[in-house]
Structure formats: structure tokens, C-alpha cells
Amino acid sequence: MGAADPPSRSSSPGELEIIRLIRQTVERSPSERVETGIGDDTAVLLPQPGARLLATTDLIVEDVHFRRAWASPFDIGWKAMAVNLSDIAGKGGHPLWALVGLALPAPADPVEVEALYEGMRRAGEPHGVAIVGGDTSVSPRGWFVNVTLLGEHLGVPRLRSAAKPGDAVAVTGTLGRSAAGLAALEAGRARLGAVRPDTIEAVTTAHLRPTARVAEGRWLGAAAAVHAMMDCSDGLATDLAHICRESGVGARVELDRLPVDPAAREVAGALGADALSWATSGGEDFELLLTCDRAAVHALSDGLGRVTGTALTVVGEIEALAKGVTFLGAGGLRVAIPAGYEHFSG
């Protein structure tokens, strides 16, 4: 399959109309780096000489990653693009081109399809992303949206495998807000009691329309003091374990240093939940998780805040001898923290 032409089988008029609608929607964000986009069976792109090509893909599935009971088609499209933007951000790269695979039950509603692609377009537009093709199919059950995002890096991408003993472990922004948003959506307004409307709006928006830290990733990715970096999508416990495993190191995290989101704490209080658990294992915060020279922490924090307005918080340290992640609570005692979400875990 190529850029966005229908499958080789004979296409129904409905599918052709859907493809025309998709093309009309995504071409609202033209790109000078696209020589041929939707309309041929393969997109023709113009990479920058000397750049490293970055490629990532994420599949989001109805009733696994989103529920249409509370996620609009625009929300679903936004999130499908944002989760991929976050992966490119985690490498310090520049996202450029997206290919979208879409499967919907028949009959497809053109209004919903347009809103879905508009959500993707609007999420990618601030970063210069162009949707250059993909594929469409009927689904036997539920919505499936798969985005493949291509980007570039003019220097050295920050990989999971580059953490060094003695590095500080740091995260951007705050943690736990998306998990709080999911809990709020599942609970419903009546169970949230005195939680302020603006707090509910903040956490549910974080879950439905997450913000990828693209500018932050590019700034941090250009700093020599930053060694390993990735986006924090599956939860701090799981994602820091990925860095440790790929780098052959261990990590120590002090729980009282975690930047737990204040809105998440408010929602947790109303629901009798644990905001710290959301921050360590809730997932889908799409902040950046990185390791860096300890001596450079203050300069990195000041610079990132000045350029992007985003905070950088040190939460722990990389260790040479230990393997995996150790979480420390009050008095330096070890605390068992569950891993984040894992597919096929049963």
C-alpha cells in the first residue's frame, strides 16, 4: 500500500469519497518538504541532506486506548498524532511526515472521519507535520487508528541506551495528570464531589488531548549534557526500567521528589485514590524522561524553563552496580512500585 490510494481490490464509491474527504482535510496543512503526497500510491518526500531519519509508529484501538463514550473523533485523532509526536520528541527530533492507517466499522460517517483527521492535523500543525498518505479499511469491530511518523535529527538522537552511572534522572513537567483524567472520566462528575471544574477540565484534557514535548525534546536533545532520553508514556516505573535495561545500569528514584501534578492530587483525594501511584505507574503523561550530567542540571533546568516554560525536576540517579529501578520512600526505605500498563499481560 502507498500514500493513500485505496486497496488493490475494487473500491466502493463510499471508500473513494472517504479518501477524497481525507485529502481535502489534510491538505489544509501543506508542506514544502512533500513533493508528492496523497493521490499517488507512494509519497515522495524531501529529506534534508545529512539528517538522520527517525521513524516511529503507534496503534490506538477502541476500548484499549480510548473509549468513544467520552472521546470525540477529534480527540481520537489528536491523541493518535500526539503519541507519535512524543516518540520523536523523546529522541530530540523534528517530526515531519505522517502516514495514517484507519479501520472503521461500516458505514463510515464522513463527519466523524473529517473530525478525526482534523484532530490529527491540528495536533501536528504547530510542529510542521504533514499527513502524506496511509490506508483505509473496514473494521469488523471498533476503530483502529495507526500513525507512522517520520522525522529528522541533524545531530545525534538521544537513545535509551546512553545512560551513564552517576547521571541524574529527570522528568519534564508533572506526572499523574493523564491517569487522573481517565479516573475522572470513569467516575463521572457526581463522584468527584467538590473538585473544581477547572481541575476536572485540566486532567480530562490531558488524557484526551495530550501535549507532546516537541520543543522541549529538541532543546534537550541539542544539549551535550543530556545522555539518554525517551518519552514517559507507559509510566515512570516502566519507562525508566527500559532505560536501565538498554543501558545496562540501575536507577534509584526518591518518591518524595516526584513532581506529582496538583490537579491529580485533587482528583485522587475526591476518589480515595493514590496520586503517587498515578505518577509512577499511570502512564500517558507524555513528559520526557532523561538522564544527564549531574553538574549540568541547574543549567539545563534554567535553560529549558527560559526557552519553553517547562520545568525540569531531578527525581533520582543512575547507578553502576544495581539493575532495574529502586524506589525509595520516607527514611530511604525501599517501596514496591508496580509497573505501568503492559499489553498481553493478561
Side-chain angles (χ1 to χ4, degrees):
M1 285 306 302
D5 273 13
S8 56
R9 58 181 167 74
S10 178
S11 299
S12 69
E15 185 178 12
L16 292 173
E17 177 57 32
I18 290 296
I19 293 171
R20 281 193 291 268
L21 176 61
I22 291 170
R23 182 174 185 175
Q24 179 182 352
T25 303
V26 303
E27 287 181 350
R28 295 171 189 160
S29 295
S31 172
E32 296 178 356
R33 305 277 300 276
V34 178
E35 185 172 291
T36 303
I38 295 176
D40 210 305
D41 59 358
T42 298
V44 181
L45 311 173
L46 302 173
Q48 189 164 332
R52 286 177 166 87
L53 182 66
L54 307 177
T56 187
T57 188
D58 272 288
L59 170 68
I60 65 171
V61 178
E62 185 174 350
D63 295 331
V64 176
H65 302 94
F66 62 88
R67 300 180 196 174
R68 296 191 62 208
W70 55 62
S72 70
F74 185 98
D75 294 333
I76 297 165
W78 180 288
K79 190 169 188 176
M81 181 63 73
V83 299
N84 285 274
L85 291 170
S86 188
D87 282 335
I88 298 292
K91 297 283 95 44
H94 178 198
L96 288 169
W97 307 297
L99 297 132
V100 180
L102 174 64
L104 304 173
D109 183 342
V111 174
E112 292 185 331
V113 172
E114 182 176 11
L116 177 81
Y117 275 81
E118 182 65 6
M120 285 187 278
R121 187 188 72 82
R122 292 272 293 277
E125 186 176 41
H127 311 294
V129 172
I131 299 173
V132 298
D135 194 15
T136 57
S137 174
V138 68
S139 163
R141 178 186 174 276
W143 287 30
F144 297 78
V145 188
N146 187 80
V147 175
T148 296
L149 185 62
L150 305 177
E152 290 179 340
H153 199 298
L154 293 174
V156 179
R158 296 301 187 257
L159 305 179
R160 298 177 179 183
S161 56
K164 301 177 181 180
D167 276 1
V169 177
V171 294
T172 60
T174 60
L175 302 174
R177 181 176 288 203
S178 178
L182 176 59
L185 289 165
E186 290 178 331
R189 184 66 184 89
R191 288 187 54 202
L192 293 171
V195 177
R196 295 169 298 168
D198 61 327
T199 297
I200 298 173
E201 175 70 16
V203 297
T204 55
T205 298
H207 182 71
L208 295 172
R209 299 185 190 179
T211 298
R213 298 295 196 182
V214 176
E216 292 84 349
R218 294 185 71 181
W219 191 88
L220 290 165
V226 174
H227 299 149
M229 188 164 66
M230 64 179 293
D231 73 325
C232 197
S233 56
D234 293 327
L236 177 66
T238 293
D239 291 324
L240 185 52
H242 289 324
I243 288 178
C244 289
R245 182 168 54 253
E246 293 300 318
S247 297
V249 296
R252 183 181 70 254
V253 172
E254 299 173 34
L255 291 172
D256 61 359
R257 303 184 74 174
L258 294 187
V260 181
D261 189 84
R265 290 191 187 276
E266 188 175 343
V267 172
L271 297 178
D274 181 6
L276 184 62
S277 177
W278 288 342
T280 58
S281 310
E284 295 201 336
D285 283 312
F286 300 109
E287 295 293 347
L288 298 178
L289 170 64
L290 59 104
T291 79
C292 63
D293 286 336
R294 181 165 289 280
V297 165
H298 291 301
L300 289 172
S301 180
D302 290 347
L304 184 67
R306 185 174 60 254
V307 173
T308 69
T310 300
L312 184 69
T313 303
V314 173
V315 299
E317 184 174 340
I318 295 296
E319 300 177 324
L321 299 179
K323 300 293 182 182
V325 183
T326 299
F327 288 90
L328 302 178
L333 298 177
R334 292 192 177 196
V335 178
I337 297 294
Y341 181 81
E342 182 181 350
H343 293 282
F344 311 114
S345 64

